Amino acid sequence: MRASMTYAFGRLSGLGNLTWHESDIGGGLMVGNPSISIKVSSYMCSLRRRKVQAGEVANSARAITSEILLKLYHYNHLPENWTIRAYQPGERVRGGSGNDLSRWGGGRVRRLLSAAYTVAFICMLRFDEVLKIQVHDLRVHDTQIVLHLPFRKTHQNGVRALAAWLKESKVTSGYLFRKIASGDRISEANSPMSSEQFLELFRNNLLDVDIDPTPYGTHSFRRGGRWSLRRICEWGGWSVEFTNMTIVKYLISSNDDPTEPREQFLNPNRRPMVKCSQCGRCCSCG
């Protein structure tokens, strides 16, 4: 609600993003954005404390898993989705058939998404971090691509996904993941895709493979899959100070799928679960 008020006062009413304060000319004239004031900020802080005291906790987005990425990969690579089609201008018809609604993205969009998914999942990045990547951040070494970022770690995987996008997009400088215009066209302007557009495309893609997109958000790729908490923090560059529970609340969410049915917790006849010493995964068939 506060974000909506800030936008309404700042953009719609033209008051900008200055703190609400008395004008230098005096006379009790107030200027700036009323939503950005000391009193409103103080109220928001106290509101947060009251919510925590009442038992409400922050709920992080559900983590994307390798299984979901595999489903998205296979669906996006179907010939009818992966093929690049010529641009055909025309208006989008509202209330059309189900087939029309399913054609939300062409081959270029799906190449962009596949590359962005791969980078975000491997490097544990938020959407806005991925969309800031520029071509000069990539270094090609034989069959490897090394990603150098000022705000996150480096990694050398995801070559095929990046190569497919680079080959089709023809982007050689500036932002790697550009805005997508109508008709599956890549914007010529050097401006990155917005987080809002990426989130919409990502959730449409989840619907393609019959996954409810509601619990997934901008942090879904950042939460680390099945690594231990300490390993996730070390790889992601986060603090390993566990005296407070902030990092635990961030990485463990009620949105997550349960790893094991509750009724099996104390079942003496349950089959033993063997954990792999290499990847740390375990399953009942082990």
Side-chain angles (χ1 to χ4, degrees):
M1 292 175 64
R2 187 191 185 191
S4 300
M5 292 169 55
T6 303
Y7 177 82
F9 283 123
R11 298 294 295 275
L12 302 183
S13 300
L15 298 180
N17 291 322
L18 287 176
T19 304
W20 180 249
H21 64 284
E22 186 174 355
S23 172
D24 295 336
I25 63 176
L29 177 63
M30 302 297 293
V31 295
N33 193 318
S35 180
I36 311 175
S37 68
I38 296 177
K39 286 188 176 181
V40 173
S41 298
S42 176
Y43 171 77
M44 295 301 295
C45 291
S46 63
L47 177 63
R48 183 175 302 172
R49 287 195 297 270
R50 290 197 300 271
K51 283 182 172 291
V52 172
Q53 292 171 358
E56 295 188 29
V57 295
N59 202 14
S60 60
R62 179 176 292 182
I64 282 293
T65 64
S66 56
E67 289 80 7
I68 294 177
L69 288 180
L70 186 63
K71 290 181 180 180
L72 294 173
Y73 173 86
H74 286 306
Y75 188 90
N76 289 336
H77 279 73
L78 292 175
E80 60 268 28
N81 297 326
W82 198 250
T83 302
I84 303 296
R85 293 181 172 83
Y87 173 61
Q88 295 180 348
E91 296 183 358
R92 187 173 182 177
V93 180
R94 293 184 177 273
S97 65
N99 291 333
D100 293 331
L101 294 176
S102 66
R103 295 172 184 169
W104 54 266
R108 295 186 180 91
V109 170
R110 295 181 188 275
R111 281 169 173 79
L112 182 151
L113 292 176
S114 295
Y117 293 164
T118 303
V119 173
F121 186 76
I122 291 174
C123 300
M124 296 184 185
L125 302 178
R126 300 192 310 269
F127 289 169
D128 60 326
E129 292 174 326
V130 172
L131 299 176
K132 290 177 182 176
I133 295 173
Q134 300 196 43
V135 175
H136 65 255
D137 296 323
L138 301 176
R139 302 288 188 276
V140 179
H141 301 283
D142 296 328
T143 59
Q144 295 181 332
I145 294 180
V146 181
L147 177 60
H148 296 269
L149 298 177
F151 52 84
R152 193 50 55 189
K153 298 184 179 295
T154 64
H155 207 277
Q156 299 177 346
N157 292 330
V159 174
R160 286 190 297 176
L162 277 172
W165 166 242
L166 289 170
K167 180 180 178 181
E168 180 56 39
S169 67
K170 306 294 192 300
V171 174
T172 58
S173 63
Y175 287 104
L176 180 61
F177 300 111
R178 305 283 180 86
K179 289 182 178 179
I180 298 294
S182 61
D184 195 39
R185 294 175 298 160
I186 303 170
S187 173
E188 296 182 359
N190 183 25
S191 55
M193 175 181 288
S194 67
S195 296
E196 292 77 14
Q197 184 182 18
F198 189 90
L199 181 60
E200 180 182 359
L201 295 173
F202 169 48
R203 287 177 168 170
N204 284 338
N205 212 179
L206 289 174
L207 287 172
D208 286 338
V209 292
D210 299 323
I211 294 178
D212 179 12
T214 306
Y216 298 91
T218 58
H219 286 67
S220 291
F221 290 91
R222 198 182 187 188
R223 294 193 44 226
R226 299 177 179 178
W227 282 356
S228 66
L229 289 179
R230 178 172 293 277
R231 190 175 186 184
I232 291 172
C233 292
E234 290 176 351
W235 175 249
W238 303 324
S239 171
V240 293
E241 179 58 55
F242 294 136
T243 55
N244 63 74
M245 299 299 289
T246 302
I247 190 66
V248 177
K249 291 178 181 178
Y250 178 78
L251 294 171
I252 301 177
S253 168
S254 61
N255 274 329
D256 292 338
D257 293 321
T259 57
E260 185 180 6
R262 183 179 178 86
E263 58 270 16
Q264 294 295 323
F265 284 3
L266 301 177
N267 181 8
N269 298 318
R270 183 184 58 182
R271 298 182 62 180
M273 302 177 69
V274 179
K275 182 176 290 187
C276 174
S277 59
Q278 297 295 322
C279 68
R281 298 185 181 184
C282 56
C283 60
S284 59
C285 62

